Amino acid sequence: MPPGACAAALDPVPHYTGPLLTRPLAESLTRARDAGTGEWTGSLDLGRSTGTATLAADHWQWKGETYAYPGKTKDRTLYYWDGEEFLAISRFGSALIKLVPTDWDAPTFEIDGIKMLPSAQVSPFEDARRKVALIAPAGKTVLDTCGGLGYFAACCLEGGVTRIRSFEKNPDVLWLRTLNPWSPDPDAESSGGRLALSQGDVSQEIEGLETASVDAILHDPPRFGIAGELYSQVFYGQLARVIRKGGRMFHYTGAPNKLTSGRDVPREVAKRLEKAGFKAELAMDGVLAVKR
């Protein structure tokens, strides 16, 4: 894509507002029905709210809508109502992509079985909140290079960002976002027009961004083996070009291959960022860099 070209923002896509089920929730509904209680109270939007369902023998009602009881369900799977039945939130295109429940309400997601967000010891949303705090988004224009489920964007909106420009390459990840109540909706009133979400490969799209046009950057790329171009010296040079002097960037790296090969990816990244014009230091599970 030539310089100056830029991916178009996504057309408005309605976010799903129906119930989301896990295996434990589905079993809880059927137990309440079998016990003859007539009602079930809890959350059907991953902890964002609570409400009461009215239970009948062959169907149940939630917020004025009628649903069938789900059939057989699986662990580590989320289900949504497609208008006729409950289906797993997963797709198989170039890879199997799946929204996965956690113990923390906010879900993570997997690509070919590889978990893309931490959830073992902390909520993936709280993890994002801590990382976003490193760039202090209030009053700033932020570039979110690899949007994923949008948790960085949501925390920036929560933190008073002026504007956040977010790119996501995978259309199936964008589909997951429309089903996840923790993912921010660019068209929602709460977003206030501050979130611009585009489908596109940021390694190409960044060429169309103006020099010194953002105050801060959040860079959460897939691991190096999947998206090596997002760890390249060329790409880091582009990041240095679009961020203003003194601007902060958090770059997630994790610690891949450290145990098996002794490779220290965070320090490798820090060296490349220094070469690109940043002052870099290790922070959390990545690198915090400041444009010199």
Side-chain angles (χ1 to χ4, degrees):
M1 181 173 292
C6 196
L10 296 173
D11 291 332
V13 178
H15 275 224
Y16 175 75
T17 58
L20 294 171
L21 296 181
T22 60
R23 184 175 182 176
L25 281 175
E27 292 175 347
S28 179
L29 280 169
T30 55
R31 281 197 304 269
R33 176 199 62 186
D34 295 344
T37 60
E39 289 187 345
W40 176 93
T41 298
S43 177
L44 292 174
D45 59 1
L46 302 181
R48 303 296 278 176
S49 67
T50 59
T52 299
T54 302
L55 310 179
D58 59 353
H59 67 272
W60 55 284
Q61 291 186 320
W62 177 265
K63 295 182 178 179
E65 300 293 332
T66 299
Y67 303 95
Y69 289 96
K72 186 176 180 181
T73 54
K74 298 179 180 180
D75 290 330
R76 301 184 63 257
T77 304
L78 280 164
Y79 297 86
Y80 75 105
W81 180 254
D82 78 336
E84 296 183 358
E85 61 181 328
F86 281 97
L87 299 177
I89 304 180
S90 63
R91 276 185 176 178
F92 186 80
S94 58
L96 176 62
I97 189 164
K98 176 181 180 181
L99 198 63
V100 180
T102 71
D103 293 334
W104 314 94
D105 292 333
T108 183
F109 72 111
E110 293 180 351
I111 298 179
D112 282 341
I114 298 172
K115 188 167 64 174
M116 306 305 290
L117 298 172
S119 62
Q121 297 179 328
V122 65
S123 159
F125 198 89
E126 181 60 32
D127 179 73
R129 184 179 281 129
R130 295 174 185 176
K131 292 169 180 174
V132 166
L134 294 175
I135 65 155
K140 295 181 179 178
T141 297
V142 176
L143 170 62
D144 177 24
T145 62
C146 305
L149 293 182
Y151 293 170
F152 276 171
C155 293
C156 282
L157 293 171
E158 177 185 271
V161 73
T162 296
R163 180 171 173 80
I164 179 165
R165 182 68 189 275
S166 183
F167 293 95
E168 174 51 51
K169 180 179 179 180
N170 192 323
D172 292 332
V173 174
L174 293 171
W175 174 71
L176 293 184
R177 287 176 71 133
T178 67
L179 294 166
N180 179 14
W182 289 85
S183 295
D185 180 356
D187 304 306
E189 183 178 349
S190 58
S191 295
R194 293 176 293 157
L195 171 58
L197 175 62
S198 302
Q199 183 184 344
D201 182 344
V202 73
S203 69
Q204 300 174 21
E205 302 295 344
I206 197 169
E207 297 175 8
L209 300 185
E210 294 182 6
T211 297
S213 59
V214 301
D215 302 304
I217 298 173
L218 292 161
H219 186 41
D220 186 7
R223 69 183 192 277
F224 182 84
I226 295 176
E229 71 277 6
L230 297 180
Y231 297 78
S232 70
Q233 196 66 58
V234 170
F235 184 68
Y236 290 162
Q238 288 283 8
L239 293 177
R241 178 184 66 81
V242 302
I243 193 171
R244 297 186 179 99
K245 183 177 180 181
R248 296 183 183 183
M249 174 175 69
F250 177 76
H251 182 328
Y252 170 77
T253 62
N257 305 319
K258 190 169 185 179
L259 294 178
T260 56
S261 67
R263 184 177 181 183
D264 194 334
V265 171
R267 292 194 182 280
E268 290 178 20
V269 164
K271 289 180 180 178
R272 290 179 192 162
L273 291 175
E274 291 274 358
K275 186 176 179 181
F278 292 91
K279 180 181 179 182
E281 62 182 40
L282 303 189
M284 298 182 66
D285 48 7
V287 178
L288 179 64
V290 178
K291 175 67 180 300
R292 293 197 299 265

